[in-house]
Amino acid sequence: MSTKASCLSAAVFLSAAIFLHAADKPKTAAPAPAATDPYAEVQPATESLDLDMYQRIRDEGLNHSHVMEFATALMDGIGPRLTGSPNLAKANAWTRDTLTKIGLDNAHLEDWGEFGLGWQQINTWARMVTPDTAVLIVQATPWSPPTPGPVTGDVTFVSIAAEKDFDQYKGKLAGKVVLFGAMREVPPVDKPLFERNTEKDLDDIEEYPVNAGVGGGLTPEMQTRMRERMERMRLIDKIAQFFADEKVAAVIEPSRDAKNGGGSGGTIFDDNGATLGRTPYLADKRVKIPVVVAAIESYGRLYRLTQAHAPVSVEINVDSKVTGEHEHGFDTVAEIPGTDPKLKEQVVMLGGHLDSWIAGTGATDNGAGTIVAMEAVRILKALDVKPRRTIRIALWTGEEEGIFGSKGYCTIHFGSAKLSTAPDQLELPEFMRRAEGPLEVKPEQKLISGYFNVDNGTGKIRGIYTQGNAAIAPIFAQWIAPLKDLGVTTITNRNTGGTDHLSFDAVGIPGFQFIQDMLDYESRTHHSNEDVVERLQPADLKQIATVEAIFVYNAAQRDQMLPRKPLPQPDAEQKKRAPIEGIFPGAVPPPPPEKK
């Protein structure tokens, strides 16, 4: 982020406060659902498609696009958008005002609850002082505290993988710059970092995998990885506190690798995997020492010198600040009102997440999803579409920390299930905890036909995941038939995770994520300093917005709501997976545990 004079910063913060007060804007009360269940309606075998509207949307989206105008205004003009930060407040306000400017109604911000620390990186740098001088490529990890100006310290490598490892470092780290994290292999980049889906790739995605694993479909290997991850999570807060107690000067971590060796060449991945703590955005869990993540080449030189027992020292400066301790999160919401007297209370939704990490400007994750959703509704407004159902765009925040924005929205409007309070579950992030109660559904839940999400980068749409909703596959097949010349060919009943459609799926609302060409998303841009406008593909973004606009239009116009899966029963999942008792011949059940 660029440094600004203090008077300008004050003005920015005042403006952000004014913007967020707009979230108190009165909203129309949610209408009661229809007396008859719209999901009891029989679905037609043949979709009624308006091919003239297909052509009009294609012409507007492909030949008169404004998607890159949205891109440079959001990514270049505002920059990275960490949840709780002043930049995200600016982005909330900009999206609200821009959606109003392009003609949407009731554009407003909705408060989904308290998030935690507002934080801003102003400047971070580091250089090796001895045995040679060298510039190091680093950035502060999110929510890192500042150093008290530039500090210099001897570098030491610390490896703590278990409780027993703490003792060897006690009393030895004061004033040190600690290297924390194993030095990994840096493979040559001998495969493309930029890839499109081949026909075989799409065929593989289309095929539904029947997993032989246990524990909810997790393979033994995946279960082992999950256990290892949980062990690291349990230990990380203790490590952060230990470094603070030992009064280390700063911590340097290595940047992780990426697909096809993309985590090299100065690329930094600076996300929740780099933060020295499970929830460093909470005031009572804040990290107390400066932490930076380094490009692997910078980290590697320091590491090798320590392993050779050569004296090495680093000067480091982290200029960051907390801008609030109890910041709330807001979603940007706006609508194109429905016009059919019988259907206008029903809603079709689309969106993506507005927040990002800090190393780049959040262009592919998920500025792309934000701007194509905005462009999709702009296309429909430019064509003066009068949809039968209401079309609602929602731009979420807090996605990167646990899909907080969409989950909060769904909890407020549609329903929720109580989460387990078992000790092992309380150690998990909220989005990973299992439910222990039934799903309690609110009246608005029956008014949402479906939600369409984009959050896999800038690559064009190749199809759609049904999220296990097999009844909708033949409907989508008819929708995409006129889009095959745009590369949209694939429908899969697979589930896909990691983003905001899951919040809708969890409360029984059809939620969908599109299949996209991954390009260099997993190899170079996902949460990295390379996640910038230069990595966006304008032609692909035009295609995404056009396809999404057509999907939303079709859902808004059809006589029936989109078919739903059976209502989730999260409290029953564990029981459904439990072994059937008494089926093994001759087996003697174990005696009940003795009461103490």
Side-chain angles (χ1 to χ4, degrees):
M1 301 178 188
S2 58
T3 306
K4 299 180 184 291
S6 59
C7 61
L8 182 55
S9 297
V12 169
F13 297 146
L14 178 60
S15 298
I18 293 171
F19 290 144
L20 293 184
H21 278 301
D24 298 329
K25 173 182 175 180
K27 304 176 190 66
T28 305
T36 58
D37 185 353
Y39 297 98
E41 298 174 330
V42 176
Q43 297 288 334
T46 303
E47 291 289 290
S48 178
L49 300 180
D50 184 346
L51 295 181
D52 178 64
M53 183 56 70
Y54 267 68
Q55 178 56 38
R56 293 179 65 204
I57 290 173
R58 286 170 64 124
D59 179 62
E60 180 64 29
L62 302 178
N63 299 324
H64 307 97
S65 176
H66 293 265
V67 71
M68 290 307 294
E69 293 175 39
F70 294 147
T72 190
L74 178 61
M75 273 67 84
D76 293 332
I78 295 175
R81 303 168 300 282
L82 189 69
T83 301
S85 70
N87 268 19
L88 187 54
K90 290 168 65 177
N92 272 132
W94 176 81
T95 50
R96 179 201 62 202
D97 295 346
T98 303
L99 289 169
T100 299
K101 189 173 297 184
I102 63 178
L104 272 70
D105 288 12
N106 193 27
H108 62 278
L109 308 183
E110 290 203 22
D111 188 337
W112 50 259
E114 183 174 318
F115 169 71
L117 297 178
W119 182 88
Q120 189 174 23
Q121 175 176 231
I122 299 169
N123 189 23
T124 298
W125 56 264
R127 67 186 187 97
M128 188 168 68
V129 177
T130 58
D132 187 18
T133 58
V135 174
L136 304 174
I137 302 174
V138 302
Q139 282 204 29
T141 59
W143 303 288
S144 166
T147 56
V151 296
T152 302
D154 293 334
V155 175
T156 186
F157 175 73
V158 170
S159 177
I160 300 176
E163 295 277 357
K164 62 180 177 60
D165 297 329
F166 285 100
D167 289 343
Q168 62 182 303
Y169 299 111
K170 284 183 178 178
K172 300 177 182 178
L173 301 179
K176 302 285 190 182
V177 173
V178 168
L179 300 184
F180 181 67
M183 179 60 194
R184 59 175 173 82
E185 292 292 323
V186 183
V189 181
D190 58 358
K191 295 179 181 178
L193 298 183
F194 187 98
E195 298 176 307
R196 292 194 182 274
N197 284 309
T198 65
E199 290 304 315
K200 183 182 184 308
D201 293 332
L202 295 173
D203 288 343
D204 290 344
I205 293 170
E206 186 174 6
E207 183 178 353
Y208 189 84
V210 180
N211 198 314
V214 294
L218 295 179
T219 63
E221 293 79 8
M222 183 63 73
Q223 292 180 64
T224 299
R225 286 170 57 188
M226 288 291 291
R227 283 193 295 269
E228 291 173 349
R229 180 186 177 191
M230 297 317 303
E231 184 57 36
R232 288 195 300 271
M233 289 175 63
R234 277 190 284 269
L235 200 59
I236 196 66
D237 289 334
K238 291 183 180 180
I239 293 171
Q241 186 59 52
F242 176 72
F243 287 156
D245 292 342
E246 292 294 306
K247 297 181 171 54
V248 306
V251 173
I252 302 176
E253 299 180 339
S255 178
R256 63 172 170 83
D257 201 1
K259 182 181 178 183
N260 293 346
S264 61
T267 300
I268 294 175
F269 296 95
D270 194 0
D271 53 19
N272 51 357
T275 56
L276 196 65
R278 287 188 292 176
T279 52
Y281 49 83
L282 298 180
D284 61 346
K285 299 288 186 180
R286 72 179 76 200
V287 177
K288 301 179 179 69
I289 51 168
V291 185
V292 302
V293 62
I296 195 62
E297 295 86 355
S298 293
Y299 190 86
R301 186 176 183 187
L302 299 176
Y303 171 81
R304 289 186 293 274
L305 286 166
T306 63
Q307 299 310 291
H309 306 291
V312 55
S313 60
V314 162
E315 183 182 21
I316 189 168
N317 181 58
V318 176
D319 188 359
S320 65
K321 63 181 177 182
V322 169
T323 58
E325 294 197 344
H326 302 283
E327 297 296 316
H328 278 231
F330 297 85
D331 300 320
T332 305
V333 182
E335 293 179 340
I336 302 175
T339 59
D340 188 308
K342 294 181 180 180
L343 302 181
K344 65 182 180 181
E345 292 180 351
Q346 298 175 5
V347 180
V348 176
M349 295 188 66
L350 72 160
H353 72 86
L354 182 58
D355 64 301
S356 76
W357 291 107
I358 65 166
T361 57
T364 68
D365 188 24
N366 185 28
T370 293
I371 61 176
V372 297
M374 295 175 70
E375 173 69 359
V377 293
R378 186 206 66 79
I379 290 169
L380 297 177
K381 285 300 296 183
L383 298 176
D384 197 27
V385 166
K386 307 292 185 187
R388 300 176 71 191
R389 291 181 179 85
T390 293
I391 295 171
R392 182 181 300 159
I393 181 174
L395 305 174
W396 316 110
T397 63
E399 190 273 350
E400 295 292 2
E401 295 77 28
I403 60 175
F404 292 150
S406 59
K407 184 176 185 295
Y409 184 90
C410 288
T411 298
I412 292 166
H413 290 275
F414 308 136
S416 62
K418 293 181 180 178
L419 299 179
S420 172
T421 56
D424 66 319
Q425 292 293 300
L426 289 175
E427 292 184 353
L428 298 174
E430 184 176 293
F431 70 95
M432 294 179 66
R433 286 163 57 190
R434 67 172 178 263
E436 66 177 6
L439 179 63
E440 297 177 1
V441 175
K442 296 183 178 182
E444 279 187 78
Q445 191 260 10
K446 285 196 173 185
L447 296 175
I448 309 298
S449 181
Y451 169 72
F452 298 96
N453 195 75
V454 171
D455 184 18
N456 281 144
T458 181
K460 69 181 181 181
I461 288 174
R462 306 301 303 277
I464 194 165
Y465 297 93
T466 73
Q467 206 68 21
N469 186 346
I472 208 164
I475 295 171
F476 286 165
Q478 294 176 67
W479 290 11
I480 70 172
L483 301 175
K484 289 188 177 181
D485 64 324
L486 294 181
V488 188
T489 60
T490 304
I491 297 166
T492 179
N493 283 324
R494 291 180 185 230
N495 295 341
T496 187
T499 190
D500 293 292
H501 70 291
L502 295 179
S503 298
F504 289 81
D505 189 66
V507 294
I509 294 171
F512 307 103
Q513 172 81 0
F514 290 98
I515 301 166
Q516 294 176 254
D517 280 340
M518 295 306 288
L519 309 185
D520 51 358
Y521 185 68
E522 293 289 355
S523 62
R524 185 163 59 165
T525 71
H526 185 232
H527 301 177
S528 83
N529 56 338
E530 285 291 317
D531 192 7
V532 291
V533 168
E534 285 77 6
R535 302 282 83 81
L536 294 177
Q537 300 299 315
D540 287 41
L541 294 172
K542 290 180 184 181
Q543 187 260 18
I544 299 171
T546 300
V547 172
E548 189 169 34
I550 288 172
F551 267 74
V552 169
Y553 177 81
N554 286 346
Q557 295 303 101
R558 68 194 308 268
D559 292 335
Q560 298 79 18
M561 300 276 263
L562 297 176
R564 293 188 171 190
K565 298 183 292 187
L567 195 68
Q569 297 178 301
D571 54 326
E573 283 300 308
Q574 294 298 109
K575 294 179 182 178
K576 290 179 179 180
R577 297 192 185 113
I580 301 173
E581 295 183 4
I583 66 168
F584 199 93
V588 178
E594 295 182 6
K595 294 183 179 180
K596 295 183 180 179

